[in-house]
Amino acid sequence: MSQTDTTPTNLRKKILQKTEGVEQDESLQESNDLLATSKPSSSSTVGSNKGLLFNQLINEQTWTKNHIWVPIQQQQQVKGQQQASISTTSTHHLYEMKEIKESSNKEVVVHLNNNQKLTIPIMDILFTNPPSMNQHLDLLSLNHTNEPSVLHHLRQNCNENFCNVGNYLYLFLGKNKENIGLEAQFCKMIENCKSLQKKKSIILLGDPKSGKSNLLKQLTMKMVNGEDVTKKVQNSLNILQHFTSLKHGGSSRVTTVVNIKKNNSNVKEVEFIPYLPELTRVLQNPFEDQTNPYKVFRFLTKTENDIYGFGKKSEIVMELQNVGISSNQIQSISDVLCGIANLLEFEFEQVEDKCVLKKSCEKYLQKASDRLGLDKNILLQSLIEPIIQINESTKVKSFVSLQEGLLNRDMLVMSIYERLLQYVFNLLKIKLDNNNEQDDEIYSFIDIGSGFESNRSKEGNPLDAKSLNYLETFINNYKNERFLNHFHETICDQSIYLKENIKWKVLEFPHLKGKEEEFTKIFEKLHELSCLSFKADEVHFLKEITDEKSPLITHVDLSKFDFTLNHSCGKIVYQVEKENWFEKNLYCHYALTDKEMLRNSKNEILKEMFQSLVDESNNSNQSGSSKMKITSTIYKKQLDDLINELKQSMNFFICCIKPNVNGCFEKINDTEIVNDRYVLKQLRTYAIFEMIRMIKKIYPCQMTFNDFVKRYEKLITENKKAEFNNQTSAKEKANILLQSRELEENTHYKLGEHYIFLRVPQQVLLEDLLNK
């Protein structure tokens, strides 16, 4: 045995590795009892070091067997415990650690704070981890990963503000913290996987206000270099937050993708792409305190007679100038936003069965047409007297109702903002001169936007309550279910084992089985009925989804026009009548019937934004296809495209966890407090506990044989070095190396045709040995 192998740390790991992962493989019959598997060998030459280490391990196992987690609520149910057992932080915690005082084959007894006894059945025992395990950031290294043990581990590591679950999943805790540790660890893991795939996607999941946008900015900045590029990227990300986040705070309402193309560690290109924008947010009047539109509208000011654009020294103007956008372009962007704000002031009334603009709003019509560079008469006609094209040669003027006039206005506003959003994202693209594409690597950072939402929680800004649990919330939660399904399938992907001809029985995900398909069925039913909107109504929709008998639909109430869906985050009630789902869902990429209005726009940006729409509409007319497009269908297609693109890359996930309702740590007596109940809800929503159990059963650490040998060849022991050097096959070399470290094939690792697969504890062991 080499000298390196006799250090206490390595001896400890050698003993522990015999127990880690064994209980996860049903084909193995070895005991997982530390006392039975860790006895020191009589031939050992280690001496007192091994004896001391062995005693330490025995003490840790004794600690674990004698200390358990007891729910605070269960303690309070014992007579007289309501006050006596509550500690300073118990209002934030769900469990307390207690020592077992008595035990039998059926139950154990613990003593509470006032010396009363609490009896707990054996089957309800939740064991603790020894204190020494608090230093491990990887949750897979814990002996026990029950709910209280994971919560305790997150609390103990709140100074680090992150934990990981293997190589591809990170839990980020507390948005008000510096993320230096997470940045360094994350970049190290990405570097280790550099040769596996050229494109890597980093996906940020989490509830609203969990810090995803700020973390996206920090990780993106970590990946770029060069003063000029860094400054441009920083300003670009600030600009995107203005256009995608809300005025009164909260998560981004747009799924934002940042693609960084690198060549030999130098940035070659930075691209920004918007997906799944929540366009109904732009319909909220930016000048009313009770509304919460996109943040960019706060840079506009309004007087009695006019709506003014960006001030010359405003924050957004400085940032746009810093990324190289010209003064004329900035003015045009400002004009488009002012035009939207004026359009939102339009009010209609019914006069002689016709929808007309109110006299008091004529000034807003003039201002909107001036800012958008449109003829005011043609603009108004497109809203209240749109031209319908019957066939190639016949056009007919139509008249709309009051409600239809408002709907036309809203569709125009949403379409303009959607096109403006795409235009600004394209404008921020950074492209450097570098023609060599051979070694290009692409890093995609994806902020999914708002997480699961429900007005039941009342945790968001109260100004948001008006738009919650209607069509927007349904679409947003569908997005989160799709990302959650992709998250679990990717982390626990087992298809590669079969491709590598490894004998493997595929493990199922019972907590996700069939969920995505069921949600998609409801989504498709909404599309089907929207296409027949002249026949369908909300009652029809509710009856149709009731007939589907989906296990996700727990309740339908026709009298209240609502239905209840069992989401991953819990049950959510959706109201379909108060804000007409079918009218909202019939939003199209506003194909104005009079295309001359678009062609003759004096606002160059608006003209450029909509030119492709004119071309699409012309092609649509020639092919005879329908011009009608459905919100939910457009949204689903974008979501399908994004997830399919993610499947072509190597995925890493960061799940942002809010320690409290406001997303920041609270302090009591200089101790940072984590609200167990709030954190536990998020961990359950994203099925983190199921993920940990699944990952422990598979071999998630993957490397090519050549990469493995190149990285770990220094770890070959002296007694195996000659055999190792005589081999020409990288696969055989990898096998000899692992066997020299007393790791066993099919227990700690598996060999495929091109890749080696390890369990997480074994890779951690190799990394620790390498670092020493």
Side-chain angles (χ1 to χ4, degrees):
M1 185 178 293
S2 67
Q3 187 174 359
T4 306
D5 293 329
T6 63
T7 62
T9 301
N10 289 329
L11 286 172
R12 171 185 173 80
K13 291 182 182 294
K14 273 178 167 290
I15 295 173
L16 283 177
Q17 74 186 25
K18 296 181 180 180
T19 66
E20 290 174 331
V22 173
E23 74 280 12
Q24 311 300 340
D25 198 327
E26 296 176 359
S27 64
L28 300 173
Q29 302 298 321
E30 300 178 38
S31 169
N32 193 35
D33 191 303
L34 189 59
L35 291 170
T37 59
S38 306
K39 293 181 180 178
S41 168
S42 58
S43 61
S44 172
T45 59
V46 179
S48 60
N49 276 349
K50 187 166 185 179
L52 290 172
L53 179 61
F54 183 74
N55 289 335
Q56 180 184 349
L57 293 173
I58 299 305
N59 290 336
E60 287 187 356
Q61 190 189 37
T62 302
W63 165 278
T64 297
K65 287 186 175 181
N66 290 337
H67 291 78
I68 63 174
W69 295 108
V70 180
I72 289 178
Q73 185 178 8
Q74 191 174 356
Q75 298 179 51
Q76 293 175 348
Q77 290 172 354
V78 179
K79 186 176 180 180
Q81 289 306 302
Q82 187 69 29
Q83 296 179 345
S85 67
I86 297 180
S87 63
T88 307
T89 60
S90 63
T91 54
H92 297 271
H93 296 170
L94 296 176
Y95 301 89
E96 281 187 341
M97 189 183 296
K98 296 293 181 181
E99 185 175 359
I100 297 175
K101 297 297 184 180
E102 305 171 32
S103 63
S104 67
N105 292 334
K106 295 183 178 181
E107 58 190 22
V108 298
V109 177
V110 297
H111 290 185
L112 304 180
N113 291 358
N114 64 352
N115 294 324
Q116 283 193 301
K117 296 181 179 180
L118 177 63
T119 301
I120 301 174
I122 289 290
M123 296 301 294
D124 294 340
I125 288 178
L126 296 169
F127 284 110
T128 65
N129 292 301
S132 62
M133 285 193 170
N134 290 336
Q135 62 185 324
H136 300 302
L137 291 176
D138 195 334
L139 293 174
L140 296 180
S141 65
L142 303 181
N143 289 342
H144 302 287
T145 52
N146 51 53
E147 290 184 351
S149 291
V150 171
L151 288 170
H152 176 74
H153 196 74
L154 290 174
R155 284 199 302 272
Q156 294 300 309
N157 287 284
C158 61
N159 287 331
E160 296 288 343
N161 79 297
F162 82 97
C163 290
N164 60 297
V165 183
N167 287 347
Y168 305 107
L169 170 60
Y170 292 78
L171 303 181
F172 167 59
L173 190 69
K175 70 176 183 180
N176 63 329
K177 290 272 196 171
E178 291 294 330
N179 308 312
I180 297 174
L182 175 60
E183 291 175 4
Q185 179 75 5
F186 200 68
C187 291
K188 178 182 175 182
M189 285 300 179
I190 290 179
E191 184 66 26
N192 291 345
C193 301
K194 191 172 183 178
S195 62
L196 290 178
Q197 202 161 335
K198 288 294 184 183
K199 184 173 182 180
K200 299 172 180 66
S201 298
I202 299 91
I203 303 159
L204 278 61
L205 306 167
D207 282 2
K209 299 184 181 180
S210 58
K212 297 188 295 296
S213 297
N214 289 334
L215 187 58
L216 171 75
K217 186 185 297 184
Q218 293 179 38
L219 292 176
T220 302
M221 297 299 297
K222 188 76 175 178
M223 297 300 295
V224 299
N225 48 27
E227 185 176 350
D228 290 341
V229 176
T230 301
K231 183 179 178 181
K232 282 186 176 181
V233 170
Q234 185 172 13
N235 280 284
S236 296
L237 292 170
N238 290 338
I239 293 166
L240 294 185
Q241 279 194 321
H242 297 322
F243 279 89
T244 61
S245 299
L246 301 182
K247 183 173 71 172
H248 294 295
S251 291
S252 170
R253 315 305 294 194
V254 179
T255 298
T256 302
V257 177
V258 182
N259 289 329
I260 301 175
K261 186 179 289 188
K262 301 185 76 172
N263 185 285
N264 295 326
S265 300
N266 295 317
V267 175
K268 179 178 177 181
E269 183 177 291
V270 183
E271 181 183 25
F272 306 92
I273 306 172
Y275 282 91
L276 317 172
E278 192 175 307
L279 295 173
T280 51
R281 289 285 178 177
V282 78
L283 300 179
Q284 301 189 36
N285 193 309
F287 303 110
E288 293 181 6
D289 293 336
Q290 293 78 19
T291 61
N292 196 13
Y294 284 109
K295 190 184 295 184
V296 68
F297 286 98
R298 72 185 173 92
F299 295 106
L300 305 179
T301 56
K302 180 184 178 183
T303 65
E304 184 176 349
N305 297 318
D306 202 358
I307 296 174
Y308 292 97
F310 302 146
K312 291 184 178 180
K313 296 184 179 180
S314 65
E315 177 186 345
I316 192 170
V317 170
M318 302 297 291
E319 290 166 344
L320 288 167
Q321 290 173 341
N322 288 338
V323 297
I325 297 178
S326 69
S327 298
N328 288 339
Q329 288 173 314
I330 294 173
Q331 183 60 51
S332 293
I333 292 172
S334 174
D335 285 342
V336 171
L337 291 170
C338 288
I340 289 174
N342 278 288
L343 283 171
L344 291 172
E345 299 285 352
F346 283 19
E347 293 181 4
F348 301 100
E349 59 184 352
Q350 204 80 23
V351 177
E352 296 180 357
D353 296 329
K354 289 184 180 180
C355 176
V356 298
L357 185 70
K358 288 184 177 180
K359 289 285 186 183
S360 60
C361 297
E362 288 181 354
K363 61 181 179 182
Y364 296 118
L365 173 62
Q366 184 64 55
K367 297 293 182 182
S369 58
D370 288 345
R371 293 301 185 115
L372 298 174
L374 303 174
D375 183 281
K376 68 175 184 178
N377 295 322
I378 297 177
L379 171 60
L380 182 59
Q381 182 188 31
S382 71
L383 301 179
I384 61 175
E385 297 178 354
I387 303 297
I388 299 176
Q389 187 159 352
I390 303 300
N391 52 47
E392 291 186 9
S393 59
T394 307
K395 296 181 181 180
V396 177
K397 180 186 291 188
S398 66
F399 298 94
V400 302
S401 66
L402 183 62
Q403 189 176 13
E404 290 169 336
L406 291 171
L407 179 61
N408 286 340
R409 178 205 66 180
D410 291 348
M411 289 196 295
L412 174 59
V413 167
M414 289 190 289
S415 184
I416 291 175
Y417 193 79
E418 181 188 32
R419 296 277 166 160
L420 177 64
L421 195 65
Q422 184 66 62
Y423 178 84
V424 171
F425 271 66
N426 290 337
L427 210 57
L428 297 176
K429 184 175 181 178
I430 301 170
K431 190 172 179 63
L432 306 177
D433 292 333
N434 191 334
N435 295 322
N436 181 14
E437 298 186 3
Q438 184 176 357
D439 298 320
D440 281 355
E441 288 187 280
I442 300 176
Y443 298 89
S444 292
F445 293 87
I446 299 98
D447 173 5
I448 70 164
S450 183
F452 285 103
E453 289 183 325
S454 171
N455 67 353
R456 285 175 173 269
S457 63
K458 300 296 183 184
E459 292 153 5
N461 191 301
L463 300 180
D464 296 344
K466 183 179 178 181
S467 61
L468 289 178
N469 288 27
Y470 297 112
L471 180 64
E472 297 86 350
T473 311
F474 174 69
I475 293 176
N476 177 70
N477 289 340
Y478 172 72
K479 171 199 72 178
N480 279 276
E481 293 288 358
R482 290 286 303 277
F483 271 112
L484 184 57
N485 189 77
H486 172 70
F487 164 45
H488 285 206
E489 286 186 346
T490 303
I491 291 291
C492 297
D493 180 33
Q494 302 160 66
S495 61
I496 193 168
Y497 302 150
L498 304 179
K499 293 176 184 177
E500 289 287 302
N501 289 327
I502 293 174
K503 188 177 180 180
W504 184 258
K505 181 181 179 181
V506 177
L507 304 171
E508 298 291 340
F509 301 93
H511 57 289
L512 284 178
K513 194 172 182 180
K515 253 189 176 181
E516 181 179 350
E517 292 79 4
E518 291 295 331
F519 279 116
T520 300
K521 283 181 184 178
I522 300 172
F523 224 70
E524 290 175 346
K525 181 59 66 177
L526 180 63
H527 167 74
E528 177 186 332
L529 296 180
S530 295
C531 292
L532 303 173
S533 59
F534 59 90
K535 295 180 180 178
D537 58 18
E538 284 69 29
V539 174
H540 191 179
F541 172 66
L542 293 175
K543 288 181 177 179
E544 288 281 341
I545 62 173
T546 303
D547 293 340
E548 291 287 334
K549 297 182 179 178
S550 170
L552 300 179
I553 302 175
T554 59
H555 180 71
V556 176
D557 191 333
L558 294 176
S559 64
K560 295 181 179 179
F561 294 95
D562 64 34
F563 67 100
T564 304
L565 278 183
N566 189 18
H567 282 282
S568 297
C569 62
K571 294 180 179 179
I572 297 180
V573 180
Y574 293 99
Q575 168 63 242
V576 300
E577 187 266 339
K578 288 186 179 178
E579 292 189 11
N580 193 309
W581 277 37
F582 288 104
E583 285 188 358
K584 281 189 172 184
N585 203 33
L586 280 175
Y587 156 70
C588 62
H589 293 285
Y590 192 74
L592 293 171
T593 53
D594 195 331
K595 300 180 183 63
E596 291 302 317
M597 184 173 77
L598 295 171
R599 293 194 179 99
N600 296 332
S601 173
K602 296 177 183 178
N603 186 307
E604 291 300 322
I605 284 183
L606 187 68
K607 186 175 182 179
E608 182 179 343
M609 282 168 18
F610 278 87
Q611 186 57 47
S612 61
L613 181 61
V614 176
D615 297 337
E616 290 169 11
S617 182
N618 287 334
N619 293 334
S620 175
N621 288 339
Q622 291 172 8
S623 63
S625 60
S626 171
K627 291 188 290 184
M628 183 170 61
K629 296 186 178 181
I630 310 299
T631 300
S632 55
T633 307
I634 296 168
Y635 200 92
K636 182 179 180 298
K637 184 183 183 305
Q638 288 191 23
L639 189 56
D640 289 341
D641 292 344
L642 177 55
I643 290 179
N644 287 334
E645 190 172 331
L646 293 177
K647 288 180 178 179
Q648 307 305 315
S649 64
M650 174 176 283
N651 288 187
F652 298 84
F653 296 88
I654 302 179
C655 191
C656 298
I657 305 294
K658 295 166 64 176
N660 291 288
V661 173
N662 60 6
C664 303
F665 284 104
E666 299 174 2
K667 284 193 175 184
I668 297 180
N669 298 329
D670 294 327
T671 301
E672 289 181 329
I673 300 301
V674 175
N675 188 317
D676 280 3
R677 192 179 304 278
Y678 198 71
V679 171
L680 184 59
K681 180 181 181 298
Q682 296 170 78
L683 294 176
R684 287 174 176 171
T685 293
Y686 294 94
I688 298 299
F689 300 104
E690 288 85 352
M691 292 286 289
I692 294 172
R693 285 193 284 271
M694 289 295 295
I695 294 174
K696 280 191 170 186
K697 293 180 181 180
I698 64 175
Y699 297 79
C701 306
Q702 167 192 344
M703 296 182 75
T704 64
F705 294 121
N706 286 328
D707 287 343
F708 181 85
V709 171
K710 183 178 179 181
R711 182 167 184 80
Y712 297 116
E713 61 183 344
K714 295 179 182 179
L715 301 182
I716 188 71
T717 56
E718 289 294 333
N719 61 335
K720 291 284 187 178
K721 188 172 287 187
E723 183 182 359
F724 178 84
N725 291 332
N726 290 334
Q727 283 290 340
T728 57
S729 166
K731 180 176 181 178
E732 290 301 322
K733 282 190 172 186
N735 197 24
I736 293 169
L737 193 157
L738 290 170
Q739 289 176 356
S740 76
R741 289 292 169 177
E742 299 185 10
L743 299 180
E744 300 177 8
E745 187 177 359
N746 296 324
T747 302
H748 303 120
Y749 67 93
K750 287 185 180 289
L751 300 175
E753 293 186 352
H754 306 94
Y755 297 97
I756 184 169
F757 302 91
L758 295 97
R759 294 191 188 274
V760 172
Q762 280 63 55
Q763 191 190 40
V764 171
L765 170 64
L766 294 176
E767 285 296 316
D768 284 351
L769 290 171
L770 194 65
N771 292 334
K772 293 180 183 302

